[in-house]
Amino acid sequence: MRSLNFDILEDVCSSLADTPTVLAFSLASHACRSFSIRRLLSMKPISLTKEPIVRSFHQFLFGDITKKRPGLLRGLIIDVLPDYNKRKEVAQLLIDILEYATHLEYLELPSPQDMFAYFEYPKLSEAMWRVSTLREFVSENSQAWCPDAEAIVKNTRSPLKVLRIGSYDLSFSEGTGAYRPAMLGQLLEHIAPTLEVLDITDVWILYNQGDRGGSFPAVRSVIMGNQTGPVWVDVFISMFPALDGVLEVGPLHGHDGAPLRADAAEQARVRAINQSYQEQHRWKKLNRVIGDTHTLYMLGLKCPVRHFMVDRVCSHRKQAVFDFLRDAPSSHLKLTILLSHGLGVFDGLIPDEVARKLTHLVIMATYDNCETSIGADAHAVDSIKWEDVLSKIKSSLQHCRQLTHLLFIVRYNIYVNEPPLAYSRSFVTSVRSLDHEATAAELKSALPSLRYILVTSNGRFD
């Protein structure tokens, strides 16, 4: 019976999901404390951010070697700059932890370039890439090239499933600051068979139509950063043939993408080529697709998409949004709308093909008085009224009869630098004093299919 009780206690502890509850459970008895320690070490990464924390945690793990606590550790976040004269001593403590953490699955380095340059101790990065049990590695290096971070990525002995790297974690093509598909495939070929999530948000990929690089046959989600030119779907399908989770292509970059943003004919040409390619080659389905109106329009997806998240939706890009939503109707949709381009954006924005299946919608309506992109309407910025915005939203969703969930966010950014820029004081005053419950009730009355509504607002003066 005693053994059964311990088994039950351990099962109960293993089901606890938050730290305060586990700590409270640990106070019940000595046995509960042992179970709680095991649970705490496995439920979330341990952050080692200061020298005293490193020393205390090392003592905790190795103070009683019979308890084998290092083997219980599942995740680490290492971001520590100790006393300069003790940096090698602290580095050795970290190495001890890494070498004896035989079930470590998660490792995150928030500032690898600063940390490794400070330690000047190559054995530390070597200990990291020698870990053979990692499933996820995160390096957020965006300051300067870090050879130690690159060594970890290139030499890791772990069958990584998730890789999230910054813009300076790998060597890129000189003179471009970007990676070619072939180069990326070569650098990551040792983890390609197991990799399922590739997050290269801060990494620029430079590619042309028909470029072929390494293939990542197991990748199901890929998150990319800015695009600098045409978006070619054949390159993505070649690199990520099994994609069915998240595809984030990012926006068309401000400076480098300016000529293409102004060239509607070229965007249409790229879209036509991409759609023609998908007549023979396409993904089976995608769970979520994220980008701006330019990148998603050029991508021209023809496979089923459950959830679109579209940035920078405005009146002069409305037809492009209409086209790519119609070609891949989704049940979940998020639209970030620029009110400074005028309220015509709401007229006929949701295609009938989407309206028939749309159940979840997020509308983030943003207003600012310093929008300088193509199509910004100075008259709209100066004269917009809250009542007109709400009326447009209600009328634009009348045909969405399956819509059950609506999140409506309205946000303003008012720049008051010299010389002062005009803005609609009426609109800002209305948003600042917005009655969220009354607005939700008004939306519910206009859209009777809604079951869950959340209205929120915020803003700032810069």
Side-chain angles (χ1 to χ4, degrees), residues 212-450:
R212 294 293 181 266
S215 178
F216 298 86
V219 165
R220 304 185 64 180
S221 293
V222 61
I223 299 96
M224 289 177 279
N226 295 325
Q227 301 292 323
T228 59
V231 180
W232 297 112
V233 74
D234 65 313
V235 177
F236 296 157
I237 291 177
S238 173
M239 293 180 70
F240 312 110
L243 205 67
D244 64 2
V246 176
L247 170 61
E248 182 170 350
V249 293
L252 191 57
H253 183 250
H255 180 268
D256 298 294
L260 182 55
R261 280 200 307 275
D263 193 339
E266 177 61 10
Q267 293 177 43
R269 185 186 74 86
V270 173
R271 174 180 171 82
I273 293 173
N274 282 336
Q275 293 208 309
S276 176
Y277 180 83
Q278 291 176 84
E279 294 294 338
Q280 300 295 327
H281 309 277
R282 70 176 77 171
W283 291 299
K284 292 181 180 179
K285 62 179 180 178
L286 293 170
N287 181 55
R288 182 178 301 150
V289 178
I290 307 169
D292 71 1
T293 58
H294 298 92
T295 55
L296 295 180
Y297 174 73
M298 288 187 287
L299 197 61
L301 291 174
K302 303 190 75 172
C303 67
V305 176
R306 186 188 71 90
H307 188 184
F308 265 114
M309 300 179 70
V310 190
D311 194 19
R312 300 191 65 80
V313 179
C314 52
S315 55
H316 78 283
R317 295 292 302 168
K318 180 177 63 177
Q319 186 59 50
V321 176
F322 184 95
D323 288 347
F324 68 71
L325 291 181
R326 179 196 57 207
D327 290 348
S330 60
S331 61
H332 293 58
L333 183 61
K334 177 187 177 184
L335 302 174
T336 301
I337 295 176
L338 305 180
L339 298 177
S340 54
H341 290 233
L343 300 186
V345 62
F346 294 106
D347 298 331
L349 177 63
I350 308 295
D352 290 339
E353 293 85 349
V354 176
R356 284 193 287 268
K357 64 184 301 185
L358 185 64
T359 59
H360 292 66
L361 175 64
V362 176
I363 294 179
M364 179 181 289
T366 65
Y367 168 80
D368 70 63
N369 64 336
C370 195
E371 175 63 53
T372 59
S373 62
I374 297 173
D377 185 336
H379 176 71
V381 170
D382 191 40
S383 62
I384 190 171
K385 297 183 182 303
W386 165 248
E387 296 80 6
D388 295 338
V389 173
L390 188 58
S391 176
K392 283 287 189 179
I393 289 176
K394 290 188 294 184
S395 63
S396 69
L397 300 178
Q398 287 293 323
H399 61 318
C400 299
R401 297 186 177 88
Q402 305 301 317
L403 187 63
T404 57
H405 294 66
L406 175 64
L407 170 58
F408 179 33
I409 307 164
V410 59
R411 175 178 298 168
Y412 63 83
N413 292 293
I414 304 302
Y415 296 85
V416 292
N417 296 333
E418 295 294 336
L421 299 172
Y423 68 93
S424 171
R425 295 181 182 274
S426 169
F427 178 82
V428 172
T429 300
S430 296
V431 173
R432 295 182 72 178
S433 60
L434 188 63
D435 186 330
H436 297 147
E437 290 189 7
T439 303
E442 189 172 344
L443 288 166
K444 170 63 178 174
S445 177
L447 307 166
S449 64
L450 285 175

Side-chain angles (χ1 to χ4, degrees), residues 54-75:
V54 175
R55 294 184 181 278
S56 297
F57 189 61
H58 185 277
Q59 176 62 29
F60 168 76
L61 291 179
F62 296 99
D64 186 348
I65 199 64
T66 63
K67 295 182 179 179
K68 300 180 180 179
R69 287 174 177 169
L72 304 175
L73 188 60
R74 293 294 183 271

